[in-house]
Amino acid sequence: MDSVFANVVTAPEDPILGVTVAYNKDPSPVKLNLGVGAYRTEEGKPLVLDVVRRAEQQLVNDPSRVKEYLSIVGLADFNKLSAKLILGADSPAIQENRITTIQCLSGTGSLRVGGEFLAKHYHQHIIYIPKPTWGNHPKVFTSAGLSVEYYRYYDPASRGLDFQGLLEDLGAAPSGAIVLLHACAHNPTGVDPTTEQWEHIRQLIRSKQLLPFFDSAYQGFASGSLDADAHPVRMFVADGGECLIAQSYAKNLGLYGERVGALSIVCKSADVASKVESQVKLVVRPMYSNPPIHGASIVATILKNSEMYNEWTIELKGMADRIISMRHQLYDALQARGTPGDWSHIIKQIGMFTFTGLNTEQVAFMTKEYHIYMTSDGRISMAGLSSKTVPHLADAIHAAVTRAA
């Protein structure tokens, strides 16, 4: 007898995760994986921060710690400290108690819970997301019950921001539409608006009564400064308007597999924030009941201890600086080879990724001839590079541009 699931077809591989699958199958000793969105050391190894090891040791050695369920909203200390980290200790939203923060399953979970809350309780179901954006964004919001539209963001000609297109598309959006904004280190392009451009965007969004939803996956990881990377979010909170913020500790604390994140909703009043929180709990309860305790405890331990917090900022800046250094080394290597074209965007872009401008054919050529793996849109993870592998990548890009163009 046939299986009751006989009509199920094999789903297409996730384009980002599929890169690692292909890489793992390649026996070449020179293979290089630049698809993965995770930090690697100069030796190409995953990194657990020293401060994270210390915090874990402290937690393990505390006999009073138990494994009881957290509440639906998660660890109270973690939520309070996460809001303070993204908004600043002196934020009026925190002082006036008009923010609700819920521990969620990293950035993806925070976006999904926020999306479902909006689908149930917000009058407008259209969310505008940048073109291009992280591959999971459209799937998360569609699954949450929202309708996805795009606004122009990246200009392939300048390999920079299509600021005019962005303003036109958001200006034409229906009143009340939700707008997804990458707080810093835009994924996949590494292109961020300037402070002046952010101010224009803020004014447009507020004048059209659009609702900003920030995805903050890289705070401190882009520039090396936690405050500088939070500045765009703080601009929107300072004007007294409402917004949503999804935070992830995957990159900046290296807690990828612990799935630690937070959803904050900034409201007009404490009364509204309390009602909003009660409804967000009803989204979470049938989805996963309550979040896991370990990762959030690590974060709370570090954020509430000034010595550990300072140690974290030093380690975080070390990661950001290594990525910036890889950008300069790659740019210099391409200049030294006389590779055709302007490659200055490599050092202008920020964060984990560089949008190289290489086309699908060139990417395929680099994989086949040089065993270099990346997403087909030409996005490379700068964190996957090291001083030892930069020459190999530069050779491959040079060959791709001169031969596979």
Side-chain angles (χ1 to χ4, degrees), residues 148-186:
V148 171
E149 298 282 347
Y150 289 88
Y151 62 89
R152 278 171 283 173
Y153 189 87
Y154 179 74
D155 173 21
S158 68
R159 293 177 186 173
L161 184 67
D162 181 357
F163 188 52
Q164 214 37 56
L166 180 152
L167 294 178
E168 282 172 22
D169 290 350
L170 292 187
S175 174
I178 308 153
V179 181
L180 180 82
L181 300 162
H182 295 229
C184 66
H186 179 274

mmCIF file of all heavy atoms in Angstrom, residues 148-186:
data_model
loop_
_atom_site.group_PDB
_atom_site.id
_atom_site.type_symbol
_atom_site.label_atom_id
_atom_site.label_comp_id
_atom_site.label_asym_id
_atom_site.label_seq_id
_atom_site.Cartn_x
_atom_site.Cartn_y
_atom_site.Cartn_z
ATOM 1 N N VAL A 148 3.875 40.449 1.422
ATOM 2 C CA VAL A 148 5.204 41.044 1.231
ATOM 3 C C VAL A 148 5.281 41.852 -0.065
ATOM 4 O O VAL A 148 4.919 41.371 -1.135
ATOM 5 C CB VAL A 148 6.286 39.942 1.245
ATOM 6 C CG1 VAL A 148 7.642 40.504 0.821
ATOM 7 C CG2 VAL A 148 6.388 39.299 2.630
ATOM 8 N N GLU A 149 5.744 43.098 0.070
ATOM 9 C CA GLU A 149 6.072 43.942 -1.084
ATOM 10 C C GLU A 149 7.532 44.356 -0.920
ATOM 11 O O GLU A 149 8.093 44.254 0.175
ATOM 12 C CB GLU A 149 5.190 45.199 -1.118
ATOM 13 C CG GLU A 149 3.700 44.934 -1.265
ATOM 14 C CD GLU A 149 3.291 44.597 -2.687
ATOM 15 O OE1 GLU A 149 4.114 44.808 -3.605
ATOM 16 O OE2 GLU A 149 2.159 44.112 -2.872
ATOM 17 N N TYR A 150 8.135 44.865 -2.003
ATOM 18 C CA TYR A 150 9.545 45.240 -1.947
ATOM 19 C C TYR A 150 9.729 46.740 -2.177
ATOM 20 O O TYR A 150 8.960 47.353 -2.915
ATOM 21 C CB TYR A 150 10.341 44.477 -3.012
ATOM 22 C CG TYR A 150 10.473 43.002 -2.687
ATOM 23 C CD1 TYR A 150 9.501 42.087 -3.096
ATOM 24 C CD2 TYR A 150 11.563 42.522 -1.960
ATOM 25 C CE1 TYR A 150 9.615 40.733 -2.785
ATOM 26 C CE2 TYR A 150 11.687 41.175 -1.649
ATOM 27 C CZ TYR A 150 10.707 40.291 -2.065
ATOM 28 O OH TYR A 150 10.817 38.955 -1.757
ATOM 29 N N TYR A 151 10.750 47.301 -1.551
ATOM 30 C CA TYR A 151 11.173 48.664 -1.907
ATOM 31 C C TYR A 151 12.608 48.593 -2.418
ATOM 32 O O TYR A 151 13.387 47.754 -1.975
ATOM 33 C CB TYR A 151 11.020 49.641 -0.740
ATOM 34 C CG TYR A 151 11.833 49.370 0.516
ATOM 35 C CD1 TYR A 151 13.130 49.881 0.680
ATOM 36 C CD2 TYR A 151 11.287 48.632 1.582
ATOM 37 C CE1 TYR A 151 13.858 49.656 1.848
ATOM 38 C CE2 TYR A 151 12.007 48.402 2.755
ATOM 39 C CZ TYR A 151 13.293 48.921 2.882
ATOM 40 O OH TYR A 151 14.009 48.700 4.030
ATOM 41 N N ARG A 152 12.933 49.476 -3.367
ATOM 42 C CA ARG A 152 14.277 49.475 -3.941
ATOM 43 C C ARG A 152 15.300 49.823 -2.862
ATOM 44 O O ARG A 152 15.040 50.664 -2.004
ATOM 45 C CB ARG A 152 14.359 50.485 -5.089
ATOM 46 C CG ARG A 152 13.822 49.956 -6.405
ATOM 47 C CD ARG A 152 13.719 51.055 -7.449
ATOM 48 N NE ARG A 152 12.558 51.902 -7.204
ATOM 49 C CZ ARG A 152 12.298 53.028 -7.888
ATOM 50 N NH1 ARG A 152 13.138 53.434 -8.829
ATOM 51 N NH2 ARG A 152 11.226 53.732 -7.617
ATOM 52 N N TYR A 153 16.444 49.171 -2.930
ATOM 53 C CA TYR A 153 17.466 49.399 -1.904
ATOM 54 C C TYR A 153 18.872 49.456 -2.494
ATOM 55 O O TYR A 153 19.610 50.388 -2.270
ATOM 56 C CB TYR A 153 17.396 48.295 -0.834
ATOM 57 C CG TYR A 153 18.271 48.598 0.366
ATOM 58 C CD1 TYR A 153 17.781 49.356 1.425
ATOM 59 C CD2 TYR A 153 19.595 48.163 0.429
ATOM 60 C CE1 TYR A 153 18.572 49.675 2.514
ATOM 61 C CE2 TYR A 153 20.407 48.481 1.515
ATOM 62 C CZ TYR A 153 19.889 49.229 2.551
ATOM 63 O OH TYR A 153 20.694 49.546 3.622
ATOM 64 N N TYR A 154 19.218 48.438 -3.265
ATOM 65 C CA TYR A 154 20.592 48.309 -3.782
ATOM 66 C C TYR A 154 20.662 48.781 -5.219
ATOM 67 O O TYR A 154 19.798 48.466 -6.033
ATOM 68 C CB TYR A 154 21.012 46.840 -3.668
ATOM 69 C CG TYR A 154 22.395 46.533 -4.189
ATOM 70 C CD1 TYR A 154 23.525 46.918 -3.475
ATOM 71 C CD2 TYR A 154 22.574 45.818 -5.377
ATOM 72 C CE1 TYR A 154 24.800 46.608 -3.941
ATOM 73 C CE2 TYR A 154 23.832 45.500 -5.845
ATOM 74 C CZ TYR A 154 24.951 45.897 -5.121
ATOM 75 O OH TYR A 154 26.201 45.587 -5.584
ATOM 76 N N ASP A 155 21.702 49.546 -5.519
ATOM 77 C CA ASP A 155 21.931 50.003 -6.883
ATOM 78 C C ASP A 155 23.123 49.245 -7.463
ATOM 79 O O ASP A 155 24.270 49.500 -7.074
ATOM 80 C CB ASP A 155 22.211 51.516 -6.865
ATOM 81 C CG ASP A 155 22.618 52.031 -8.238
ATOM 82 O OD1 ASP A 155 22.308 51.361 -9.239
ATOM 83 O OD2 ASP A 155 23.267 53.094 -8.295
ATOM 84 N N PRO A 156 22.885 48.281 -8.371
ATOM 85 C CA PRO A 156 23.983 47.466 -8.912
ATOM 86 C C PRO A 156 25.046 48.303 -9.621
ATOM 87 O O PRO A 156 26.231 47.952 -9.606
ATOM 88 C CB PRO A 156 23.291 46.518 -9.896
ATOM 89 C CG PRO A 156 21.843 46.556 -9.546
ATOM 90 C CD PRO A 156 21.585 47.896 -8.939
ATOM 91 N N ALA A 157 24.642 49.429 -10.222
ATOM 92 C CA ALA A 157 25.605 50.248 -10.970
ATOM 93 C C ALA A 157 26.659 50.841 -10.034
ATOM 94 O O ALA A 157 27.856 50.785 -10.315
ATOM 95 C CB ALA A 157 24.874 51.356 -11.727
ATOM 96 N N SER A 158 26.220 51.387 -8.897
ATOM 97 C CA SER A 158 27.177 52.008 -7.963
ATOM 98 C C SER A 158 27.631 51.021 -6.884
ATOM 99 O O SER A 158 28.538 51.305 -6.116
ATOM 100 C CB SER A 158 26.534 53.220 -7.291
ATOM 101 O OG SER A 158 25.491 52.796 -6.415
ATOM 102 N N ARG A 159 26.953 49.865 -6.836
ATOM 103 C CA ARG A 159 27.148 48.890 -5.755
ATOM 104 C C ARG A 159 26.976 49.565 -4.395
ATOM 105 O O ARG A 159 27.650 49.268 -3.425
ATOM 106 C CB ARG A 159 28.519 48.199 -5.887
ATOM 107 C CG ARG A 159 28.571 47.327 -7.133
ATOM 108 C CD ARG A 159 29.903 46.672 -7.374
ATOM 109 N NE ARG A 159 29.875 45.979 -8.673
ATOM 110 C CZ ARG A 159 30.937 45.429 -9.234
ATOM 111 N NH1 ARG A 159 32.101 45.445 -8.639
ATOM 112 N NH2 ARG A 159 30.841 44.824 -10.398
ATOM 113 N N GLY A 160 26.061 50.507 -4.388
ATOM 114 C CA GLY A 160 25.730 51.259 -3.182
ATOM 115 C C GLY A 160 24.219 51.341 -3.014
ATOM 116 O O GLY A 160 23.475 50.537 -3.577
ATOM 117 N N LEU A 161 23.754 52.331 -2.274
ATOM 118 C CA LEU A 161 22.333 52.474 -1.947
ATOM 119 C C LEU A 161 21.584 53.196 -3.064
ATOM 120 O O LEU A 161 22.033 54.233 -3.552
ATOM 121 C CB LEU A 161 22.200 53.266 -0.639
ATOM 122 C CG LEU A 161 20.797 53.454 -0.071
ATOM 123 C CD1 LEU A 161 20.216 52.127 0.394
ATOM 124 C CD2 LEU A 161 20.823 54.446 1.100
ATOM 125 N N ASP A 162 20.437 52.656 -3.456
ATOM 126 C CA ASP A 162 19.536 53.349 -4.386
ATOM 127 C C ASP A 162 18.606 54.210 -3.524
ATOM 128 O O ASP A 162 17.453 53.866 -3.292
ATOM 129 C CB ASP A 162 18.737 52.317 -5.207
ATOM 130 C CG ASP A 162 17.809 52.975 -6.214
ATOM 131 O OD1 ASP A 162 17.743 54.224 -6.241
ATOM 132 O OD2 ASP A 162 17.122 52.241 -6.955
ATOM 133 N N PHE A 163 19.148 55.320 -3.048
ATOM 134 C CA PHE A 163 18.416 56.129 -2.068
ATOM 135 C C PHE A 163 17.159 56.742 -2.673
ATOM 136 O O PHE A 163 16.099 56.758 -2.053
ATOM 137 C CB PHE A 163 19.353 57.212 -1.512
ATOM 138 C CG PHE A 163 18.764 57.980 -0.360
ATOM 139 C CD1 PHE A 163 18.233 57.316 0.740
ATOM 140 C CD2 PHE A 163 18.746 59.367 -0.368
ATOM 141 C CE1 PHE A 163 17.687 58.018 1.808
ATOM 142 C CE2 PHE A 163 18.206 60.077 0.700
ATOM 143 C CZ PHE A 163 17.673 59.398 1.787
ATOM 144 N N GLN A 164 17.283 57.224 -3.911
ATOM 145 C CA GLN A 164 16.139 57.829 -4.597
ATOM 146 C C GLN A 164 15.008 56.813 -4.771
ATOM 147 O O GLN A 164 13.842 57.106 -4.493
ATOM 148 C CB GLN A 164 16.588 58.378 -5.960
ATOM 149 C CG GLN A 164 15.886 59.636 -6.408
ATOM 150 C CD GLN A 164 15.574 60.626 -5.294
ATOM 151 O OE1 GLN A 164 16.453 61.068 -4.550
ATOM 152 N NE2 GLN A 164 14.311 60.963 -5.139
ATOM 153 N N GLY A 165 15.392 55.599 -5.219
ATOM 154 C CA GLY A 165 14.398 54.536 -5.411
ATOM 155 C C GLY A 165 13.721 54.156 -4.108
ATOM 156 O O GLY A 165 12.503 53.920 -4.056
ATOM 157 N N LEU A 166 14.508 54.100 -3.038
ATOM 158 C CA LEU A 166 13.984 53.765 -1.707
ATOM 159 C C LEU A 166 12.923 54.795 -1.295
ATOM 160 O O LEU A 166 11.815 54.430 -0.865
ATOM 161 C CB LEU A 166 15.142 53.737 -0.702
ATOM 162 C CG LEU A 166 14.853 53.419 0.774
ATOM 163 C CD1 LEU A 166 16.079 52.782 1.423
ATOM 164 C CD2 LEU A 166 14.454 54.641 1.575
ATOM 165 N N LEU A 167 13.261 56.083 -1.430
ATOM 166 C CA LEU A 167 12.322 57.144 -1.030
ATOM 167 C C LEU A 167 11.055 57.122 -1.892
ATOM 168 O O LEU A 167 9.946 57.302 -1.383
ATOM 169 C CB LEU A 167 12.998 58.523 -1.121
ATOM 170 C CG LEU A 167 14.156 58.791 -0.153
ATOM 171 C CD1 LEU A 167 14.747 60.176 -0.397
ATOM 172 C CD2 LEU A 167 13.730 58.657 1.302
ATOM 173 N N GLU A 168 11.232 56.877 -3.184
ATOM 174 C CA GLU A 168 10.055 56.825 -4.080
ATOM 175 C C GLU A 168 9.129 55.676 -3.700
ATOM 176 O O GLU A 168 7.913 55.843 -3.617
ATOM 177 C CB GLU A 168 10.508 56.657 -5.540
ATOM 178 C CG GLU A 168 11.014 57.943 -6.166
ATOM 179 C CD GLU A 168 11.647 57.701 -7.537
ATOM 180 O OE1 GLU A 168 11.345 56.667 -8.178
ATOM 181 O OE2 GLU A 168 12.466 58.557 -7.951
ATOM 182 N N ASP A 169 9.715 54.493 -3.465
ATOM 183 C CA ASP A 169 8.879 53.317 -3.171
ATOM 184 C C ASP A 169 8.184 53.423 -1.819
ATOM 185 O O ASP A 169 7.006 53.066 -1.686
ATOM 186 C CB ASP A 169 9.725 52.034 -3.229
ATOM 187 C CG ASP A 169 10.145 51.699 -4.659
ATOM 188 O OD1 ASP A 169 9.626 52.353 -5.590
ATOM 189 O OD2 ASP A 169 10.987 50.804 -4.851
ATOM 190 N N LEU A 170 8.889 53.927 -0.809
ATOM 191 C CA LEU A 170 8.243 54.088 0.499
ATOM 192 C C LEU A 170 7.241 55.242 0.454
ATOM 193 O O LEU A 170 6.212 55.208 1.130
ATOM 194 C CB LEU A 170 9.291 54.314 1.603
ATOM 195 C CG LEU A 170 10.197 53.120 1.914
ATOM 196 C CD1 LEU A 170 11.076 53.399 3.128
ATOM 197 C CD2 LEU A 170 9.393 51.827 2.151
ATOM 198 N N GLY A 171 7.541 56.255 -0.371
ATOM 199 C CA GLY A 171 6.606 57.375 -0.538
ATOM 200 C C GLY A 171 5.307 56.928 -1.190
ATOM 201 O O GLY A 171 4.242 57.508 -0.949
ATOM 202 N N ALA A 172 5.386 55.873 -2.019
ATOM 203 C CA ALA A 172 4.190 55.371 -2.717
ATOM 204 C C ALA A 172 3.477 54.269 -1.927
ATOM 205 O O ALA A 172 2.412 53.798 -2.329
ATOM 206 C CB ALA A 172 4.604 54.830 -4.089
ATOM 207 N N ALA A 173 4.053 53.857 -0.812
ATOM 208 C CA ALA A 173 3.439 52.781 -0.002
ATOM 209 C C ALA A 173 2.146 53.281 0.626
ATOM 210 O O ALA A 173 2.022 54.460 0.956
ATOM 211 C CB ALA A 173 4.409 52.339 1.097
ATOM 212 N N PRO A 174 1.159 52.379 0.790
ATOM 213 C CA PRO A 174 -0.090 52.816 1.426
ATOM 214 C C PRO A 174 0.137 53.244 2.875
ATOM 215 O O PRO A 174 1.010 52.698 3.549
ATOM 216 C CB PRO A 174 -0.983 51.566 1.355
ATOM 217 C CG PRO A 174 -0.061 50.423 1.135
ATOM 218 C CD PRO A 174 1.140 50.961 0.425
ATOM 219 N N SER A 175 -0.622 54.213 3.314
ATOM 220 C CA SER A 175 -0.497 54.702 4.694
ATOM 221 C C SER A 175 -0.638 53.539 5.676
ATOM 222 O O SER A 175 -1.498 52.673 5.509
ATOM 223 C CB SER A 175 -1.584 55.747 4.944
ATOM 224 O OG SER A 175 -1.569 56.111 6.296
ATOM 225 N N GLY A 176 0.243 53.506 6.672
ATOM 226 C CA GLY A 176 0.154 52.457 7.700
ATOM 227 C C GLY A 176 0.911 51.189 7.381
ATOM 228 O O GLY A 176 1.029 50.304 8.226
ATOM 229 N N ALA A 177 1.448 51.081 6.158
ATOM 230 C CA ALA A 177 2.176 49.857 5.797
ATOM 231 C C ALA A 177 3.360 49.656 6.748
ATOM 232 O O ALA A 177 3.918 50.605 7.285
ATOM 233 C CB ALA A 177 2.666 49.928 4.353
ATOM 234 N N ILE A 178 3.720 48.382 6.961
ATOM 235 C CA ILE A 178 4.874 48.043 7.803
ATOM 236 C C ILE A 178 6.118 48.105 6.915
ATOM 237 O O ILE A 178 6.064 47.713 5.745
ATOM 238 C CB ILE A 178 4.703 46.619 8.393
ATOM 239 C CG1 ILE A 178 3.341 46.465 9.074
ATOM 240 C CG2 ILE A 178 5.832 46.278 9.364
ATOM 241 C CD1 ILE A 178 2.817 45.024 9.083
ATOM 242 N N VAL A 179 7.226 48.595 7.467
ATOM 243 C CA VAL A 179 8.478 48.665 6.700
ATOM 244 C C VAL A 179 9.580 47.953 7.475
ATOM 245 O O VAL A 179 9.895 48.336 8.602
ATOM 246 C CB VAL A 179 8.905 50.126 6.430
ATOM 247 C CG1 VAL A 179 10.202 50.150 5.619
ATOM 248 C CG2 VAL A 179 7.815 50.888 5.708
ATOM 249 N N LEU A 180 10.131 46.919 6.870
ATOM 250 C CA LEU A 180 11.266 46.230 7.489
ATOM 251 C C LEU A 180 12.548 47.003 7.174
ATOM 252 O O LEU A 180 12.841 47.289 6.022
ATOM 253 C CB LEU A 180 11.398 44.799 6.956
ATOM 254 C CG LEU A 180 12.586 44.057 7.601
ATOM 255 C CD1 LEU A 180 12.188 43.494 8.947
ATOM 256 C CD2 LEU A 180 13.127 42.978 6.703
ATOM 257 N N LEU A 181 13.299 47.318 8.236
ATOM 258 C CA LEU A 181 14.572 48.039 8.086
ATOM 259 C C LEU A 181 15.682 47.233 8.741
ATOM 260 O O LEU A 181 15.521 46.748 9.861
ATOM 261 C CB LEU A 181 14.479 49.413 8.771
ATOM 262 C CG LEU A 181 13.402 50.365 8.237
ATOM 263 C CD1 LEU A 181 13.127 51.475 9.250
ATOM 264 C CD2 LEU A 181 13.821 50.961 6.899
ATOM 265 N N HIS A 182 16.805 47.065 8.051
ATOM 266 C CA HIS A 182 17.966 46.422 8.671
ATOM 267 C C HIS A 182 18.635 47.497 9.530
ATOM 268 O O HIS A 182 19.045 48.538 9.006
ATOM 269 C CB HIS A 182 18.952 45.933 7.606
ATOM 270 C CG HIS A 182 18.412 44.838 6.725
ATOM 271 N ND1 HIS A 182 19.129 43.685 6.473
ATOM 272 C CD2 HIS A 182 17.250 44.708 6.035
ATOM 273 C CE1 HIS A 182 18.429 42.895 5.662
ATOM 274 N NE2 HIS A 182 17.280 43.507 5.381
ATOM 275 N N ALA A 183 18.760 47.271 10.825
ATOM 276 C CA ALA A 183 19.279 48.299 11.738
ATOM 277 C C ALA A 183 20.699 48.728 11.364
ATOM 278 O O ALA A 183 21.057 49.894 11.474
ATOM 279 C CB ALA A 183 19.229 47.792 13.174
ATOM 280 N N CYS A 184 21.519 47.775 10.945
ATOM 281 C CA CYS A 184 22.881 48.069 10.480
ATOM 282 C C CYS A 184 23.395 46.829 9.757
ATOM 283 O O CYS A 184 22.832 45.751 9.903
ATOM 284 C CB CYS A 184 23.815 48.408 11.649
ATOM 285 S SG CYS A 184 24.112 47.014 12.761
ATOM 286 N N ALA A 185 24.474 46.993 8.991
ATOM 287 C CA ALA A 185 25.103 45.877 8.273
ATOM 288 C C ALA A 185 24.077 45.100 7.442
ATOM 289 O O ALA A 185 23.833 43.925 7.653
ATOM 290 C CB ALA A 185 25.831 44.943 9.235
ATOM 291 N N HIS A 186 23.458 45.816 6.492
ATOM 292 C CA HIS A 186 22.413 45.216 5.653
ATOM 293 C C HIS A 186 22.881 43.898 5.040
ATOM 294 O O HIS A 186 23.972 43.809 4.483
ATOM 295 C CB HIS A 186 22.027 46.199 4.533
ATOM 296 C CG HIS A 186 20.976 45.677 3.606
ATOM 297 N ND1 HIS A 186 21.286 44.904 2.513
ATOM 298 C CD2 HIS A 186 19.627 45.785 3.621
ATOM 299 C CE1 HIS A 186 20.160 44.579 1.884
ATOM 300 N NE2 HIS A 186 19.145 45.100 2.532
#
